[in-house]
Amino acid sequence: MPHFLDIDTTETEALRAMIDAARAMKDRRNGRPKGAPDDEQSLAGRMVALIFEKPSTRTRVSFDVGVRQMGGETMVLSGADMQLGHGETIADTARVLSRYVDLIMIRTFEAATLQEMADHATVPVINGLTDRSHPCQIMADVMTYEEHRGPIRGKRAVWTGDGNNVCASWLHAAGQFGFDMTFSGPQQLDPGREFVDFARGKGSDIRIERDPARAVEGADIVIADTWISMHDAQSARERRHNLLRPYQVDERLMGRAAPDAVFMHCLPAHRGEEVTSAVMDGPHSVVFDEAENRLHAQKAILRWCLGT
């Protein structure tokens, strides 16, 4: 079953094919109204379940629009609608949904929930985000970099801040796409060893540098993400701000990167916290291209999963 669960569990050749397909689909839509269908209705007659245990803007809208552009239909379900894993086991939910729909996209908390869904579904399952990883976002990010600067292989990305789920998928991508990466953040928030080891095992140069100014020196990509989760208590938010304040990406820090470096952020951004508005709206920023490319990258992922 061609599930798309994580970048490290998908073959490099398939990942590259998805990026290339996403760019081709985007090119073919150039100048069209957003609601206009694709010429190739590759999801015609298909029904896709979109399950959200976590709130979402970009994931929900991009998947919904993408399926519709390709001629399919969506059923959007919340965790409250389904009582996922409470009123019924996740395994039984997966078995039942597989009788109704052609594909399941799930945005959830625990990676174990995603895995159990995939283990028992008889249709493809896509990881829309878990607390462990966010592969769809990083597929859009790789696409965005290559759209602006050419092949990402051999480049160096720098992650500043919290070694969270998005950072984890960036490390997976470093290994699969052949670029190097430096993490710069407090030791308490280092990325998991398994993600670092995966990338290093694939031949990528992965470094930990506590000094953000040294970390970004000559970098090709500088990446930030929000310092807090929507579920963090106020006391945890204050502690994180104190820990992460030295890692804010401002104009001075961005100026230490390569002259043609890009700044990336998966959004939503807290302007004035992890990044300043001057950087977000500045000449290095590609954050809104990243947001748009969620649509195109995910369309390619959907097509790959369904073999269309």
Side-chain angles (χ1 to χ4, degrees):
M1 185 64 63
H3 300 307
F4 185 76
L5 303 183
D6 266 316
I7 289 174
D8 67 321
T9 58
T10 307
E11 293 293 332
T12 302
E13 294 77 10
L15 296 170
R16 172 48 59 192
M18 286 183 241
I19 297 290
D20 294 344
R23 292 188 67 179
M25 285 189 284
K26 181 177 181 178
D27 289 344
R28 287 196 294 271
R29 287 199 63 85
N30 187 33
R32 290 192 178 200
K34 304 300 185 293
D38 289 354
D39 287 336
E40 186 179 345
Q41 294 288 276
S42 50
L43 264 63
R46 306 277 193 162
M47 176 64 71
V48 178
L50 307 177
I51 302 173
F52 294 94
E53 281 201 294
K54 286 190 171 189
S56 169
T57 300
R58 277 151 294 279
T59 301
R60 176 169 179 164
V61 175
S62 56
F63 267 110
D64 200 351
V65 171
V67 171
R68 292 167 187 262
Q69 286 180 351
M70 293 189 289
E73 295 186 56
T74 61
M75 177 183 297
V76 180
L77 301 164
S78 73
D81 292 332
M82 304 180 66
Q83 297 184 327
L84 193 64
H86 300 290
E88 181 177 52
T89 67
I90 295 162
D92 285 351
T93 298
R95 294 182 179 105
V96 170
L97 283 178
S98 297
R99 302 296 182 101
Y100 301 144
V101 304
D102 298 288
L103 185 145
I104 299 166
M105 189 288 304
I106 181 168
R107 180 180 174 94
T108 187
F109 293 92
E110 298 293 332
T113 300
L114 169 74
Q115 189 62 57
E116 188 172 356
M117 182 72 72
D119 287 344
H120 296 278
T122 55
V123 298
V125 174
I126 293 175
N127 177 2
L129 175 139
T130 69
D131 289 344
R132 179 179 183 273
S133 62
H134 196 2
C136 290
Q137 176 65 55
I138 277 57
M139 290 293 283
D141 293 349
V142 171
M143 175 186 172
T144 302
Y145 181 82
E146 296 195 336
E147 199 172 52
H148 284 268
R149 298 289 187 265
I152 198 168
R153 177 170 292 277
K155 303 299 182 181
R156 186 164 69 89
V158 176
W159 178 277
T160 64
D162 179 7
N164 60 15
N165 54 349
V166 183
C167 180
S169 286
W170 265 101
L171 285 163
H172 284 158
Q176 296 289 56
F177 288 99
F179 60 90
D180 301 325
M181 189 165 166
T182 299
F183 171 80
S184 189
Q187 185 174 1
Q188 299 95 315
L189 299 176
D190 277 355
R193 175 56 57 182
E194 64 174 298
F195 307 112
V196 173
D197 288 347
F198 172 81
R200 285 176 174 164
K202 289 283 189 172
S204 296
D205 179 18
I206 307 300
R207 304 178 186 181
I208 307 294
E209 172 54 67
R210 302 298 172 202
D211 181 347
R214 290 181 61 183
V216 304
E217 193 71 45
D220 302 292
I221 309 165
V222 179
I223 317 152
D225 194 8
T226 180
W227 291 344
I228 57 173
S229 165
M230 64 186 76
H231 304 289
D232 286 338
Q234 185 59 38
S235 58
R237 292 170 182 239
E238 291 171 2
R239 287 196 301 273
R240 279 178 171 266
H241 277 92
N242 291 335
L243 275 173
L244 290 164
R245 194 167 288 114
Y247 298 94
Q248 181 190 72
V249 181
D250 57 16
E251 287 179 289
R252 178 176 294 181
L253 188 66
M254 197 68 211
R256 299 182 72 92
D260 63 345
V262 299
F263 171 76
M264 291 189 159
H265 192 302
C266 66
L267 302 181
H270 294 80
R271 291 169 179 257
E273 293 184 9
E274 70 270 12
V275 60
T276 62
S277 288
V279 172
M280 276 278 291
D281 300 325
H284 297 283
S285 177
V286 294
V287 298
F288 297 110
D289 291 335
E290 291 176 77
E292 177 188 345
N293 284 340
R294 287 290 300 277
L295 169 67
H296 308 295
Q298 287 162 187
K299 286 169 69 174
I301 292 166
L302 286 159
R303 287 186 59 179
W304 177 79
C305 286
L306 291 170
T308 61

